[in-house]
Amino acid sequence: MSTILFATSEALPLIKTGGLGDVSGSLPIALNSSKHNVCLILPAYSPALREAGDLKEIARFEVPSAPAHVRLLEGKLPGSSVTLWLIDCPPLFDRPGGPYADQDGADWYDNALRFGLFCKAVSMIAMDQLGLSWKPDVVHCNDWQCGLIPALLASQENRPATVFTIHNMAYQGLFSQKEFYDLQIPHELWSMDGVEFHGHFSFIKGGLATADMLSTVSPTYAKEIRTPQFGYGLEGLLEYRSDRLVGILNGVDYTLWDPENDPYIVKSYTSKTVRFKSLNKSALQEYMGLPVSEKTPLIGIIGRMVEQKGFDLFLDNIEWLISTEVQIVVLGSGEPHFEEKFKIAATQYPQNISVQIGYHETLAHHIESGSDMFLMPSRFEPSGLNQLYSLRYGTVPIVHHTGGLADSVIDASEENQKAKIATGFVFNEATPESLLATLKRAIALYKQPKLWKQIMKTGMKQDFSWKKSAKQYLALYQRAIEHAKNS
Ligand code: ADP
Ligand code: GLC
């Protein structure tokens, strides 16, 4: 029996900005069992308070540098038996806007204080300092927002083990030295072995330097982040700690993402009734204002419109795509220049491309079920979830060979087709030319329905459920517990 405190800055269905929300809303459920008890802890943002249902206050305490009393609220992660704890400090978390940024998309000016306070409160709970008579065996910390937790715990006697999971090295939580001192945390942490990074205060470095075990969300990304191209200056530290670093691919919550029982889609289907997928396609074409046509290949795109996702590689190929008669549906939001380019393309080619800027959970399901192909040209992708969803929906993924995309999609080379193991299309270079060559291959194969169906069906049969990954996390926790004992 082990007890796990799972700390995160977002979790479905309470609050989500990207894949971390999906993972934190489903991995704790997969881990929670008669043998392992999981408590999920996150800040009490306004939407989380609204979505959480019944909550009761179980502790009220002071945290140095907090602008108000802090309360610990307890409930259940909706739809599950996982215990939910929310760290409530209204001046910091109960405000309109997102978890990391205000309504205009600018990072909250006080993020160091907001997540610093969260980390301090979690480490107090982990050390049983609130009188709850409860102590976890492991604290599982996710991304930079939780990076100070292992650092605060590292020097404590009789502490729980710590695991730090990197979901994206591109987001590091970098602040100033003044913000470090304002947080009133032990000054010894300001060192090369702690949170100091080239004169800045780095939350992520706190986790990377001090956690008992490190993980990231795919085996390939675990290798990539040890190189200058993907390590953002922290590759040396990651290489140094590589004996403590593992890659565990994200799983899928098939209760939410499976065309057999997806309540959002027009017509359910399985690999045996894949012909019904076309009803979802025509509904999507109609909804997005595109001509309804069964034979025109339809490419879906969903994602945050940021450099990472490589949408510019795709935009560079728009003219060729239009000339071959394909349709493209796009859902996303992010950097204004990307949004603008997509909007211009949709205005120029209204018969072929339709774009929705914004965040729409339901439309994301319609795109997964109604598209023939799903494009992820990411420059880097720690794990990626949409290619995993696409496989299950028979929506053949076209991906760049990087991170979790490389670990989950098998290219439709002739050899792999013959062996009946192909599940999608993989291009090797993050260039418009490499993407174009692969788009051409995909569209040519789409015109051979028998071969195409084989690829769809092989993809639909893949199992990326959490079961396997949850087992790997439990083994990781055991290793962390061993290291903590010997530290
Ligand atoms: P990342 O975490 O880097 O954004 P992932 O592929 O891991 O990438 O996860 C993204 C998640 O967010 C998926 O569940 C995807 O469907 C969802 N998503 C991204 N953008 C949107 C959007 N505009 N509307 C609805 N869902 C979105
Ligand atoms: C990050 C990554 C994405 C990953 C997600 C959840 O946001 O960009 O690849 O799937 O975290 O781990």
Side-chain angles (χ1 to χ4, degrees):
M1 173 87 187
S2 53
T3 313
I4 302 135
L5 182 58
F6 191 99
T8 181
S9 56
E10 52 181 273
L12 260 180
L14 305 171
I15 184 150
K16 162 174 163 182
T17 68
L20 176 61
D22 300 62
V23 172
S24 305
S26 48
L27 173 58
I29 298 177
L31 290 168
N32 202 39
S33 68
S34 52
K35 283 214 209 111
H36 305 284
N37 183 253
V38 186
C39 281
L40 175 67
I41 189 161
L42 68 160
Y45 313 106
S46 331
L49 287 168
R50 269 199 310 276
E51 299 296 325
D54 289 342
L55 291 167
K56 68 169 191 281
E57 178 185 312
I58 58 165
R60 182 181 282 251
F61 54 108
E62 304 292 331
V63 181
S65 80
H69 293 299
V70 181
R71 296 191 311 150
L72 181 62
L73 306 176
E74 182 176 86
K76 289 281 175 212
L77 177 68
S80 81
S81 55
V82 171
T83 300
L84 171 69
W85 281 346
L86 297 178
I87 299 290
D88 186 44
C89 184
L92 298 184
F93 302 122
D94 193 2
R95 39 170 95 156
Y100 319 123
D102 64 21
Q103 280 150 321
D104 299 324
D107 283 350
W108 289 113
Y109 65 94
D110 55 353
N111 271 344
L113 176 60
R114 295 171 75 238
F115 293 106
L117 172 114
F118 176 63
C119 290
K120 287 200 279 184
V122 173
S123 60
M124 288 168 77
I125 292 164
M127 290 305 296
D128 195 17
Q129 290 168 354
L130 305 189
L132 298 172
S133 303
W134 182 89
K135 208 169 177 183
D137 299 303
V138 187
V139 189
H140 185 167
C141 310
N142 292 277
D143 267 355
W144 73 261
Q145 293 84 353
C146 300
L148 296 187
I149 302 169
L152 290 167
L153 290 173
S155 59
Q156 312 245 13
E157 289 284 317
N158 203 8
R159 65 173 176 82
T162 53
V163 168
F164 183 70
T165 297
I166 305 153
H167 294 264
N168 198 330
M169 282 298 294
Y171 301 96
Q172 305 200 342
L174 284 181
F175 301 97
S176 67
Q177 190 174 18
K178 179 179 181 309
E179 285 165 302
F180 171 80
Y181 286 115
D182 287 348
L183 260 188
Q184 301 174 36
I185 52 179
H187 286 187
E188 310 81 84
L189 287 178
W190 188 263
S191 82
M192 262 180 58
D193 307 324
V195 300
E196 192 264 338
F197 182 60
H198 300 295
H200 287 91
F201 170 23
S202 166
F203 271 56
I204 200 171
K205 196 178 159 207
L208 299 182
T210 64
D212 294 308
M213 285 300 297
L214 305 175
S215 76
T216 187
V217 286
S218 67
T220 295
Y221 196 59
K223 289 190 200 124
E224 288 173 337
I225 54 178
R226 288 155 54 191
T227 67
Q229 194 188 347
F230 299 96
Y232 294 88
L234 287 161
E235 59 277 5
L237 173 59
L238 286 163
E239 181 60 35
Y240 175 69
R241 300 211 69 204
S242 56
D243 60 331
R244 302 284 184 103
L245 171 65
V246 301
I248 303 176
L249 191 69
N250 284 335
V252 176
D253 182 346
Y254 288 125
T255 63
L256 298 176
W257 291 98
D258 187 334
E260 190 174 357
N261 47 38
D262 184 333
Y264 297 120
I265 67 177
V266 169
K267 177 80 186 166
S268 4
Y269 59 95
T270 63
S271 61
K272 292 199 181 91
T273 56
V274 80
R275 62 187 182 282
F276 293 141
K277 185 169 165 58
S278 66
L279 296 174
N280 294 296
K281 177 172 176 176
S282 50
L284 178 65
Q285 288 168 322
E286 206 170 304
Y287 178 80
M288 296 297 284
L290 293 170
V292 174
S293 152
E294 195 172 341
K295 70 172 203 320
T296 310
L298 174 54
I299 304 178
I301 293 180
I302 303 171
R304 295 180 294 116
M305 293 182 175
V306 294
E307 177 77 11
Q308 171 190 348
K309 300 293 175 182
F311 292 137
D312 48 313
L313 307 177
F314 160 79
L315 285 159
D316 283 351
N317 285 309
I318 277 268
E319 263 146 44
W320 177 82
L321 277 167
I322 304 301
S323 72
T324 58
E325 265 203 60
V326 298
Q327 293 180 342
I328 301 141
V329 292
V330 182
L331 167 63
S333 65
E335 289 168 19
H337 68 106
F338 281 122
E339 293 185 357
E340 202 48 38
K341 281 186 192 138
F342 274 117
K343 281 196 258 179
I344 292 172
T347 319
Q348 260 178 330
Y349 307 108
Q351 299 293 304
N352 302 82
I353 170 159
S354 176
V355 175
Q356 280 251 352
I357 300 297
Y359 189 93
H360 302 284
E361 196 71 36
T362 320
L363 182 54
H365 288 252
H366 286 302
I367 295 178
E368 283 293 2
S369 65
S371 307
D372 297 302
M373 306 170 198
F374 193 90
L375 180 61
M376 290 178 80
S378 310
R379 291 201 157 73
F380 68 94
E381 194 61 76
S383 167
L385 291 168
N386 277 115
Q387 85 282 11
L388 304 179
Y389 303 156
S390 300
L391 287 169
R392 181 50 63 104
Y393 282 76
T395 303
V396 177
I398 302 172
V399 303
H400 176 215
H401 189 272
T402 186
L405 301 176
D407 291 337
S408 55
V409 180
I410 301 172
D411 184 60
S413 63
E414 274 187 25
E415 205 186 340
N416 290 339
Q417 283 187 61
K418 265 195 207 122
K420 296 196 171 22
I421 55 169
T423 58
F425 294 85
V426 184
F427 61 100
N428 288 321
E429 306 297 327
T431 59
E433 295 75 23
S434 182
L435 169 58
L436 178 60
T438 302
L439 284 168
K440 284 182 177 169
R441 271 201 296 141
I443 288 165
L445 216 71
Y446 178 79
K447 293 181 180 144
Q448 301 187 54
K450 218 172 139 203
L451 297 179
W452 188 259
K453 239 184 202 156
Q454 173 65 46
I455 297 173
M456 284 171 78
K457 288 190 171 183
T458 309
M460 292 178 85
K461 286 182 196 140
Q462 303 299 307
D463 182 3
F464 288 100
S465 58
W466 271 110
K467 211 169 155 198
K468 195 166 122 208
S469 303
K471 224 168 139 189
Q472 291 175 279
Y473 275 108
L474 291 172
L476 175 69
Y477 297 158
Q478 271 318 313
R479 282 183 71 187
I481 290 170
E482 290 306 312
H483 283 297
K485 260 194 222 148
N486 301 327
S487 70

